[in-house]
Amino acid sequence: MPLHESIQYYTKYGAKVFGGFLDASKAFDKVLHNGLLLLDKNVPVSLVLLSKNWYSRLCCSIKSKGILGKCFQVLSGVRQGKVLSPYLFGVYVDDLIADLRNSSYGIHVGSLFAGCLFHADDIVLLSPTY
């Protein structure tokens, strides 16, 4: 359900809707790699092992004035601009969304929870007045 329709639903009955807009772009840098490798997310073990191998070998170096510096290991963060990164970030914050959905806070339209909307690293938290 789009943001506009959720707000319209509450304002139709005289409530005001407050929104908190968060830009979580820096959160992409803070995601711990081990947090991505959770077996309780119904992910095939082979994919978990592949991801673990991939992220354990992730390294970067700095190039300045044509000189490439020494490679250093990257221990946190998902690669921004990559197709898989928004999905991995979503997996990482999935428990937060579940807690919000099960709480009495935020917008609920019927049985549908619409109080936490995500698009990549942009987050909107919505809560009505009563």
Side-chain angles (χ1 to χ4, degrees):
M1 173 177 291
L3 175 64
H4 179 70
E5 290 176 10
S6 301
I7 293 172
Q8 262 187 333
Y9 178 85
Y10 277 88
T11 56
K12 178 180 174 181
Y13 298 104
K16 291 183 180 180
V17 176
F18 292 94
F21 295 83
L22 306 170
D23 179 3
S25 59
K26 288 296 181 188
F28 273 87
D29 299 334
K30 304 295 182 194
V31 171
L32 297 174
H33 293 162
N34 288 337
L36 294 172
L37 308 174
L38 302 175
L39 289 172
D40 65 346
K41 300 290 183 188
N42 296 323
V43 178
V45 174
S46 58
L47 184 57
V48 172
L49 294 174
L50 176 68
S51 299
K52 183 177 181 179
N53 184 42
W54 182 34
Y55 275 103
S56 70
R57 298 171 187 263
L58 190 58
C59 68
C60 290
S61 60
I62 298 172
K63 187 174 185 178
S64 177
K65 297 181 182 178
I67 300 171
L68 191 61
K70 186 176 178 180
C71 189
F72 57 91
Q73 189 175 11
V74 178
L75 301 174
S76 65
V78 293
R79 299 180 73 184
Q80 292 186 30
K82 301 299 178 189
V83 175
L84 193 57
S85 296
Y87 173 76
L88 291 174
F89 182 71
V91 167
Y92 194 73
V93 297
D94 190 46
D95 292 336
L96 168 67
I97 297 168
D99 287 346
L100 286 170
R101 183 182 300 120
N102 295 325
S103 74
S104 60
Y105 301 110
I107 288 180
H108 290 82
V109 180
S111 62
L112 179 67
F113 175 70
C116 180
L117 306 174
F118 275 77
H119 178 72
D121 61 355
D122 296 316
I123 305 166
V124 181
L125 301 173
L126 299 169
S127 185
T129 60
Y130 295 104

